[in-house]
């Protein structure tokens, strides 16, 4: 199959699977809590329902509220094109490095914060303030971690690093690889607003970070923001799968895509297990967790350079 | 996109939305500032409101926080303090009275006499120590005097 076709097929697959992953996490959590799991297609049903719903916008909101949902979604859609390939032989963008990906994700978060502040409610401001706090600590760690893995893979571009890691697994750098993996997993949890950092199912404003920013929008705009959240999870899961679980792309393309989906669901399963077994951290204890991520990222770089391990 | 919108006021817990029900910049930066307290050491001014005599109303509280940039605090303020200290002593020395003037001439003569030994190649550490002590005592007693 042609390289470009595989490239676009992977992207379409990720877009289609995004709501499924979040519903899968929710289903696993409910099943582990002895409840009857929600349907796995609930994400798609929510999206369709929100598209049909009427949009109620605050009288105090400005044009930002009408524009920001699109600006939250578009950087994430751009990042989808920069991820490491799932199938060997597919086209991939080789020159995009950690700064670009982190910057695009931060751009999406920035417009989400503006959206939260726009509706003149104090809950939105609180969510934006907390999101700024968490992002300020997450972004340096993410740049460090992805750079560390790029060093191990021998190329600064994330796509090329994924291909290099699939060809030659760096068993001689296992220590720094594991440190980077731990750091990236913590960042995956933090950036996607999962339980140790933020509760995605809370109904209490006191415990909200991401939910508080989107309290005052509904309808099409909320559909866009929720799909942005699911695409963000797919991006992080795909980066984790491509960089830290680099087996599978050399198979035939249907099998390789299946393995890729399996890896995404494995990441979702790990996130669900962690969500069930931990409680949400107090806001000012979150820097402790993110500090662990930064420290592991530093350790990864230092063990790679100083110890050569 | 042809989105059908309906407008409605934001609920502000029963109050009218305004500048006081929204997040200000101080509040927005609150968590980050609190986390970096150990580094920036901001100056906080908190005037807490209290209830009046009949407990009917509450005077407003004021909270202001100001972060002085670290370079300004260490580099600029330190240099300014050093310059102030040097200028104080220069002023003290330059604006002296008659006795201080005489004492300064006395000390200069001591310096010339004591340093003669170096040029006459009769230097010894013992005499150098003794003469330094005499010079220091005379400078302290006659020129510097008490610190004003």
């Amino acid at each position: 199959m042609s390289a470009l076709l595989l490239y676009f097929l992977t992207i379409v697959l990720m877009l289609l699977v995004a709501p499924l992953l979040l519903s899968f996490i929710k289903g696993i959590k409910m099943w582990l809590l002895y409840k009857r799991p929600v349907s796995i297609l609930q994400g798609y049903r929510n999206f369709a329902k929100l598209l049909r719903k009427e949009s109620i916008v605050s009288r105090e909101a400005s044009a930002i509220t009408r524009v920001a949902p699109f600006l939250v979604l578009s950087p994430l859609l751009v990042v989808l094109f920069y991820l490491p390939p799932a199938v060997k032989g597919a086209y991939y963008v080789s020159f995009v490095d950690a700064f670009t990906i982190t910057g695009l994700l931060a751009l999406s978060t920035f417009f989400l914060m503006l959206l939260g502040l726009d509706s003149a409610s104090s809950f939105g401001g609180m969510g934006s303030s907390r999101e700024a706090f968490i992002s300020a600590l997450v972004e340096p760690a993410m740049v460090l971690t992805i750079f560390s893995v790029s060093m191990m893979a021998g190329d600064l571009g994330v796509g090329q690093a994924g291909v290099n890691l699939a060809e030659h697994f760096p068993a001689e750098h296992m220590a720094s690889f594991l440190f980077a993996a731990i750091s990236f997993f913590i960042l995956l949890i933090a950036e996607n607003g999962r339980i140790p950092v933020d509760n995605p199912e809370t109904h209490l404003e006191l415990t909200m970070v991401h939910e508080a920013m989107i309290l005052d929008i509904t309808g099409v705009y909320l559909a866009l923001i929720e799909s942005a959240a699911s695409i963000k999870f797919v991006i992080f899961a795909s980066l984790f799968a491509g960089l830290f679980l680099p087996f599978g792309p050399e198979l035939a393309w249907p099998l390789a895509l299946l393995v890729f989906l399996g890896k995404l669901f494995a990441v979702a399963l790990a996130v669900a297990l962690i969500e069930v077994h931990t409680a949400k951290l107090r806001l000012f204890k979150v820097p402790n967790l993110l500090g662990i991520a930064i420290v592991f990222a530093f350790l990864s770089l230092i063990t790679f350079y100083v110890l050569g391990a | 996109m042809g989105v059908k919108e309906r407008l409605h006021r934001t609920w502000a817990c029963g109050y009218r939305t305004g500048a006081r029900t929204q997040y200000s910049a101080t509040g927005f930066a609150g968590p980050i500032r609190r986390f970096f307290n150990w580094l920036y050491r901001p100056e906080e001014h908190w005037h807490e409101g209290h209830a009046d005599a009949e407990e009917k109303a509450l005077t407003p509280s004021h909270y202001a926080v100001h972060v002085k940039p670290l370079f300004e605090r260490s580099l600029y303020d330190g240099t300014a303090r050093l310059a102030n200290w040097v200028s104080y002593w220069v002023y003290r020395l330059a604006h002296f009275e008659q006795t201080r003037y005489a004492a300064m001439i006395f000390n200069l003569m001591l310096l010339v006499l004591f340093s003669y030994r170096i040029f006459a190649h009769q230097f010894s550490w013992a005499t150098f120590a003794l003469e330094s002590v005499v010079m220091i005592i005379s400078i302290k007693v006659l020129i510097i005097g008490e610190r004003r």
Side-chain angles (χ1 to χ4, degrees), chain A residues 29-260:
Chain A
K29 281 168 68 175
M30 291 173 81
W31 181 67
L32 284 171
L33 293 169
Y34 296 104
K35 300 180 194 168
R36 187 153 28 147
V38 74
S39 157
I40 218 167
L41 302 173
Q42 190 60 36
Y44 303 105
R45 290 201 196 122
N46 284 345
F47 186 73
K49 173 187 77 172
L50 283 170
L51 284 180
R52 283 194 304 265
K53 264 190 154 183
E54 172 188 43
S55 288
I56 303 181
V57 171
S58 162
R59 208 177 275 278
E60 282 82 4
S62 67
I64 295 250
T65 305
R66 281 106 179 156
V67 167
F70 298 95
L71 289 169
V72 167
L73 185 58
S74 23
L76 299 174
L77 290 177
V78 170
V79 173
L80 269 182
F81 286 85
Y82 292 156
L83 297 173
V87 185
K88 185 171 174 177
Y91 177 75
Y92 60 93
V93 178
S94 58
F95 52 83
V96 169
D97 64 347
F99 277 120
T100 314
I101 291 191
T102 311
L104 284 168
L105 293 169
L107 188 66
S108 164
T109 310
F110 171 70
F111 280 106
L112 191 58
M113 291 196 284
L114 278 186
L115 180 69
L117 284 167
D118 198 41
S119 62
S121 77
S122 31
F123 291 127
M126 186 183 77
S128 300
S129 148
R130 291 175 170 188
E131 180 73 23
F133 175 53
I134 293 174
S135 289
L137 299 168
V138 157
E139 274 150 36
M142 186 143 71
V143 169
L144 275 175
T145 306
I146 300 184
F147 264 134
S148 167
V149 171
S150 306
M151 291 286 115
M152 278 181 256
D155 197 288
L156 277 179
V158 172
Q160 187 66 50
V163 166
N164 292 358
L165 285 170
E167 277 171 26
H168 166 71
F169 186 73
E172 64 274 11
H173 298 298
M174 212 45 197
S176 39
F177 194 71
L178 278 175
F179 287 150
I182 294 172
S183 168
F184 195 80
F185 198 74
I186 297 176
L187 298 175
L188 190 153
I189 293 178
E191 268 279 355
N192 291 296
R194 310 308 305 187
I195 274 252
V197 174
D198 174 22
N199 192 349
E201 292 151 34
T202 184
H203 303 290
L204 312 167
E205 291 92 358
L206 191 65
T207 55
M208 287 181 178
V209 177
H210 179 82
E211 300 296 312
M213 292 187 282
I214 58 176
L215 260 182
D216 277 306
I217 51 168
T218 178
V220 174
Y221 304 132
L222 186 58
L224 289 170
I225 301 277
E226 294 213 337
S227 51
S230 48
I231 289 175
K232 199 169 185 182
F233 188 84
V234 160
I235 288 173
F236 272 92
S238 165
L239 271 175
F240 191 84
L243 294 175
F244 297 101
L245 304 168
F247 46 82
E250 64 275 1
L251 303 167
W253 70 266
L255 212 54
L257 283 177
L258 225 60
V259 168
F260 177 66

Side-chain angles (χ1 to χ4, degrees), chain B residues 88-96 104 143-144:
Chain B
Y88 170 73
W89 283 111
V90 168
Y91 180 85
R92 282 281 301 276
L93 284 174
H95 293 75
F96 40 69
M104 226 184 238
I143 297 186
I144 298 182

